[in-house]
Amino acid sequence: MSTFTNNPLNKPLVEDVKEEEDHLEKPEETNVIRIGIIADTEVALGLLLVGIGYHHQKFRNYLMVENDTSLAEIEEFFHKLYKRPNIGIILLDYPTAKRLSPVLEKCKKLLPVVVILPTKASIVAYMEEKERLRRQRQREAYN
């Protein structure tokens, strides 16, 4: 807080009061739908640069998954996102989604929507699986 020497009462200036108010934690807006991210560093960083990142009172909406990130840690973070009322979309990269597949099969709620993003390293496997699922749906439609 700064005061001027010609301020006889040493009262804080209006600008100083506004600065102090900006530093106070504001309650989280429940009517704003947010996006959650669980992905490798490259994908998560790209999405954070776009402006999807969010941090509020020890909660952040993203987890950067490394090779040494435990499955329990990923599952715990996914459940935090999934249970949160203001998360509308959860973005997962393909390798992380493969690791979480047993958990994802149990998710039946309408919101949040889980979207799987292919990465550079997994685009071939992602496309092959999509093609396999498409062919399987076609076979089921003819039977």
Side-chain angles (χ1 to χ4, degrees):
M1 183 185 305
S2 62
T3 57
F4 292 106
T5 54
N6 62 355
N7 186 350
L9 301 176
N10 278 338
K11 291 185 178 178
L13 300 173
V14 175
E15 294 85 19
D16 295 334
V17 173
K18 285 181 184 175
E19 284 180 19
E20 285 180 11
E21 289 174 356
D22 289 341
H23 292 292
L24 297 175
E25 284 292 331
K26 297 174 186 160
E28 186 174 10
E29 294 182 46
T30 56
N31 60 347
V32 175
I33 300 296
R34 305 244 180 233
I35 298 174
I37 305 165
I38 304 174
D40 68 354
T41 307
E42 185 177 284
V43 173
L45 191 58
L47 292 168
L48 292 175
L49 288 172
V50 171
I52 294 177
Y54 172 72
H55 186 83
H56 179 46
Q57 293 181 351
K58 296 185 181 179
F59 172 76
R60 62 176 198 254
N61 68 333
Y62 59 93
L63 175 67
M64 292 186 188
V65 178
E66 304 280 334
N67 289 335
D68 59 342
T69 305
S70 69
L71 182 60
E73 184 180 347
I74 297 170
E75 285 180 2
E76 179 184 346
F77 189 76
F78 177 80
H79 286 298
K80 280 183 190 177
L81 287 177
Y82 194 73
K83 292 176 183 176
R84 218 164 161 87
N86 66 339
I87 298 292
I89 299 174
I90 298 176
L91 300 174
L92 299 171
D93 67 338
Y94 183 73
T96 304
K98 291 301 275 184
R99 289 175 71 182
L100 281 176
S101 62
V103 175
L104 294 176
E105 290 172 2
K106 296 176 186 175
C107 298
K108 303 294 182 198
K109 288 187 346 183
L110 214 48
L111 282 178
V113 176
V114 178
V115 179
I116 299 172
L117 305 171
T119 61
K120 280 192 309 189
S122 67
I123 190 73
V124 174
Y126 177 80
M127 295 304 289
E128 287 173 353
E129 183 173 340
K130 286 292 182 185
E131 181 63 23
R132 183 182 58 79
L133 291 173
R134 185 188 65 76
R135 279 186 265 136
Q136 183 180 359
R137 282 192 306 269
Q138 280 182 337
R139 273 184 262 137
E140 290 172 358
Y142 289 122
N143 291 333

